[in-house]
Amino acid sequence: MARFAMVIDTRQCVGCMDCVVACKTENGVPEGFNRDWIVQDVNGIYPTLHMEIRSERCNHCDNPPCVYCCPTGASHVHDLGGVVLVHHEKCIGCKACLAACPYDARFVHPEGYADKCTFCIHRVEKGLQPSCVAVCPTYCMYFGDLDDPLSEVSLLLTSRKYHLLLPETGTQPHIYYLT
Amino acid sequence: MLELTTTRHNPMIDPTLHVWGWEIPVYLFLGGMVAGIMIISGYFLFSGRHRASTQCSCFQVPLVGIALLTLGMLALFLDLEHKPFTWRLYTTFEIKSPMSWGAWILVLVYPALAAVAALRIPESWRIAFKGRLARLVLFSERIRGSAAATKTIGIVNMLLGGLLGIYTGVLLSALGARPLWSSSILWLLFVVSGLSSAAAFAHMIARDPYERVLLAKADNGFLIFELFVFALFFIGLASTSEAHLRAAQLLLGGAFAPAFWVFVIGLGIIIPLIVQLMAVNGKIPHTPMAPILVMGGGLALRFVIVSAGQFSHWMNAHGLPLPF
Ligand code: SF4
Ligand code: SF4
């Protein structure tokens, strides 16, 4: 069983937003909506400031509240790699999953169903990288299988420090930010 | 200093979550009130109180309950973004999803309410249908004559009413991403508020003077208990985490405080409580004003909790100034 994850090196990301544009192009994300986005997180007291630039998206959580709350089973965990997906034709647009996601990673597609990042599963199934990873000009994003101890993502997580987003919510997110 | 900027501006999500407008608070209020109606009329049947008066409100309120629940479900339907697929709710039962539980509970609630309503066919219906309801009238009289049958219908209504009321609270409290909702007693708050709105409504339409006083006294009890549950709700939030404390502050002194203190606590609980206490002590006559205020307070509670809950967040992710 594979367990897909993304590792993003915040020391290399320059916030160019290529990943955002690639996602929108690859997935036909409607105008005004984002499946991924850039956050500039500035902490500290001037002049001792620390800035982190992050490319954020659905965390494809191991403990996904968006899946648990879905009344129709539209939100589900895909067999391949534990990716969290939405069956469009099962979704009633109740928006419970939007409220359940602490990362606000979902939105309602203009056609009425809940939408979000899919880890580009249609590409991954063909052996390709998610489009955001494929286009990153600084090569700061890595995608792979955490269940494989020799995968690039597993090795990075054993050798580098990282943090997760809102681990206190108990979602067990699968996007790791190298610091 | 903490400064966050984001390029994301998704509709309904940014700058703060606002996926649910008026429909969900209305649905939760009507669902809670119908739950209260089922518990109260179920109790009247179970305790045999319906035998003491031919005008027992337990026979009238379920009919109103059916109408209110239908309105509530209409509001819920209006809120759905993918309406042609609504039937998908009934092709599965998702055990972890409170909304799925609710969908199936609602299916059971209708026949339970109809069973109570059918125990006494309204006189006006008998006249309007000119004897065509004779069989139904005979059947309902036979059931009404059986203590075991009325008790069973009463118990079923109390149970289903309890489940429906609990569900309206758990629906929100299961969404732990919103700190204001992630309280283990939100369900109790909604059940008590639903009971109080139902008692207020039955009090308003009760024809039997003894029953009117009884319902007013019950409502006073529910209102006092609701204040107590509010205190527990806030203590619980304040002692959980920084995010939960900030969520509680939204109601106590933040952006939602005026609506909370004026409409939910002041006009919805304190003033009707004083008026009803005076009424049951014979100082003033019973007036529909107090029940109307109680029901308005119940509706305001759902609006405040749904809106403030969507505003509450684990992190101030969008650089917004906190509203207090
Ligand atoms: S990030 Fe949000 S939408 Fe994605 S799996 Fe986790 S809870 Fe669900
Ligand atoms: S909006 Fe769709 S995917 Fe989300 S919880 Fe409702 S039915 Fe499930």
Side-chain angles (χ1 to χ4, degrees):
Chain A
M1 274 289 282
R3 185 59 185 95
F4 292 143
M6 211 175 258
V7 174
I8 300 173
D9 191 344
T10 61
R11 289 184 169 265
Q12 264 174 267
C13 176
V14 293
C16 69
M17 301 188 207
D18 260 14
C19 50
V20 179
V21 176
C23 171
K24 290 194 74 125
T25 313
E26 173 71 26
N27 296 296
V29 180
E31 199 180 322
F33 294 85
N34 282 81
R35 283 187 181 184
D36 61 348
W37 57 93
I38 298 294
V39 169
Q40 285 181 20
D41 185 346
V42 181
N43 273 294
I45 296 170
Y46 182 82
T48 327
L49 296 170
H50 170 260
M51 182 170 80
E52 181 176 286
I53 303 176
R54 293 192 299 264
S55 172
E56 292 188 1
R57 61 193 45 63
C58 165
N59 285 272
H60 297 276
C61 307
D62 253 353
N63 195 20
C66 56
V67 172
Y68 300 153
C69 73
C70 179
T72 63
S75 280
H76 65 284
V77 179
H78 191 50
D79 291 340
L80 180 61
V83 177
V84 174
L85 299 175
V86 181
H87 284 303
H88 299 170
E89 69 290 353
K90 274 195 190 176
C91 174
I92 60 172
C94 68
K95 297 169 280 187
C97 55
L98 276 75
C101 172
Y103 309 98
D104 289 342
R106 293 178 168 230
F107 58 87
V108 176
H109 190 279
E111 284 175 20
Y113 53 81
D115 200 9
K116 65 171 198 69
C117 160
T118 60
F119 264 174
C120 280
I121 193 77
H122 60 287
R123 289 172 56 93
V124 173
E125 279 169 346
K126 290 183 200 150
L128 299 168
Q129 300 269 28
S131 62
C132 53
V133 177
V135 300
C136 178
T138 64
Y139 303 106
C140 76
M141 300 169 80
Y142 305 85
F143 178 81
D145 178 10
L146 280 187
D147 281 352
D148 172 4
L150 296 177
S151 68
E152 203 173 20
V153 286
S154 296
L155 293 174
L156 277 167
L157 294 183
T158 52
S159 60
R160 293 275 303 268
K161 281 189 181 163
Y162 62 85
H163 73 87
L164 301 163
L165 294 183
L166 296 178
E168 63 272 31
T169 56
T171 53
Q172 297 174 26
H174 270 272
I175 310 265
Y176 298 81
Y177 293 96
L178 301 179
T179 54
Chain B
M1 186 187 104
L2 169 68
E3 179 193 304
L4 289 164
T5 54
T6 170
T7 55
R8 192 188 67 195
H9 290 289
N10 284 342
M12 289 197 242
I13 300 295
D14 298 304
T16 56
L17 187 83
H18 50 287
V19 290
W20 289 329
W22 63 269
E23 299 91 343
I24 296 299
V26 166
Y27 165 66
L28 294 179
F29 166 68
L30 293 175
M33 189 163 153
V34 172
I37 283 177
M38 293 181 81
I39 296 173
I40 290 171
S41 54
Y43 176 71
F44 279 0
L45 286 177
F46 173 73
S47 62
R49 153 96 219 125
H50 66 291
R51 290 181 207 287
S53 160
T54 50
Q55 293 179 323
C56 179
S57 56
C58 65
F59 298 123
Q60 296 148 20
V61 286
L63 272 179
V64 181
I66 291 174
L68 293 180
L69 195 59
T70 309
L71 274 180
M73 288 184 70
L74 179 69
L76 178 65
F77 177 72
L78 289 178
D79 178 70
L80 299 181
E81 304 284 344
H82 218 198
K83 292 184 179 63
F85 295 82
T86 310
W87 56 277
R88 284 288 192 180
L89 272 174
Y90 293 105
T91 56
T92 178
F93 172 58
E94 297 294 325
I95 196 159
K96 288 186 181 169
S97 162
M99 205 177 270
S100 184
W101 276 88
W104 288 105
I105 289 171
L106 287 169
V107 169
L108 301 174
V109 159
Y110 271 106
L113 277 167
V116 187
L119 284 178
R120 187 183 288 279
I121 309 297
E123 199 56 43
S124 54
W125 289 25
R126 296 189 204 192
I127 296 166
F129 288 97
K130 291 191 192 113
R132 267 173 286 168
L133 296 179
R135 267 202 208 155
L136 186 61
V137 171
L138 196 70
F139 181 69
S140 86
E141 271 164 16
R142 205 173 287 165
I143 302 272
R144 209 166 63 234
S146 155
T150 48
K151 261 194 180 172
T152 310
I153 294 177
I155 291 171
V156 168
N157 268 272
M158 284 195 287
L159 278 176
L160 282 175
L163 278 178
L164 177 62
I166 291 170
Y167 144 71
T168 62
V170 173
L171 182 70
L172 296 184
S173 60
L175 305 173
R178 314 295 148 190
L180 185 72
W181 296 338
S182 57
S183 156
S184 57
I185 58 164
L186 189 63
W187 67 270
L188 185 57
L189 187 61
F190 278 17
V191 168
V192 180
S193 163
L195 274 168
S196 135
S197 294
F201 179 71
H203 167 213
M204 197 169 75
I205 64 160
R207 292 189 208 141
D208 183 79
Y210 173 78
E211 198 170 287
R212 202 177 304 147
V213 175
L214 185 72
L215 285 162
K217 280 184 181 165
D219 197 13
N220 289 345
F222 293 139
L223 290 173
I224 292 168
F225 189 55
E226 194 176 340
L227 286 175
F228 175 69
V229 179
F230 262 124
L232 289 180
F233 175 70
F234 286 122
I235 291 169
L237 286 177
S239 53
T240 303
S241 78
E242 169 74 18
H244 293 81
L245 176 65
R246 285 200 324 234
Q249 283 170 342
L250 281 175
L251 298 190
L252 294 175
F256 296 87
F260 175 70
W261 289 112
V262 174
F263 294 110
V264 180
I265 301 293
L267 291 172
I269 298 181
I270 305 289
I271 291 180
L273 184 59
I274 294 170
V275 173
Q276 285 185 163
L277 279 172
M278 289 168 78
V280 294
N281 288 318
K283 298 216 167 75
I284 54 168
H286 285 268
T287 128
M289 185 195 91
I292 288 172
L293 283 177
V294 169
M295 289 185 277
L299 182 61
L301 168 70
R302 298 335 188 269
F303 266 99
V304 167
I305 295 282
V306 170
S307 315
Q310 294 183 89
F311 196 88
S312 70
H313 206 286
W314 274 90
M315 57 179 172
N316 182 18
H318 312 294
L320 281 179
L322 293 171
F324 47 83

